[in-house]
Amino acid sequence: MGDVFGADTALTRAQMVTFFRNYAKFTGKSVDEVVDITKYVDYKDVEDWAKPNMAWAVSIDLISGADINGTKYLQPLGNATRAQLATVLVKYCNYY
């Protein structure tokens, strides 16, 4: 994720799920559940450090991917919108 704190930098979807997984681990929640994310066309765009985080987030339905013309995308490098962050936060709270 780099070594620079970018307060004015947009949050990517991969970073967002990483924050949630790290928080879950920090608070003693199980984060062992993962799924195969290769069904998403852009799974290769998920950087190595983010793969377990993204696989976890998909496994507990924090994110389900964007459906674009019938094709599922994770969009790990895309910016997380406020609406997406709010949705993930609600899903996280409902899951745990």
Side-chain angles (χ1 to χ4, degrees):
M1 285 198 306
D3 58 357
V4 176
F5 179 73
D8 295 325
T9 304
L11 178 71
T12 68
R13 292 167 50 86
Q15 291 169 330
M16 175 181 64
V17 298
T18 299
F19 295 155
F20 278 95
R21 186 167 184 246
N22 287 343
Y23 180 74
K25 280 196 281 190
F26 176 76
T27 57
K29 311 285 192 292
S30 172
V31 293
D32 296 333
E33 190 174 346
V34 294
V35 295
D36 180 11
I37 59 172
T38 61
K39 67 180 179 179
Y40 295 91
V41 194
D42 59 346
Y43 78 94
K44 290 182 180 178
D45 292 341
V46 180
E47 296 180 60
D48 288 340
W49 60 263
K51 286 179 181 170
N53 307 320
M54 195 64 77
W56 167 80
V58 172
S59 75
I60 66 167
D61 198 34
L62 286 188
I63 60 168
S64 56
D67 189 334
I68 302 171
N69 297 324
T71 303
K72 288 282 202 176
Y73 294 86
L74 286 171
Q75 299 176 320
L77 303 176
N79 293 338
T81 66
R82 289 179 183 179
Q84 290 170 340
L85 181 56
T87 299
V88 169
L89 178 58
V90 168
K91 287 182 174 186
Y92 179 89
C93 291
N94 287 334
Y95 184 81
Y96 289 113

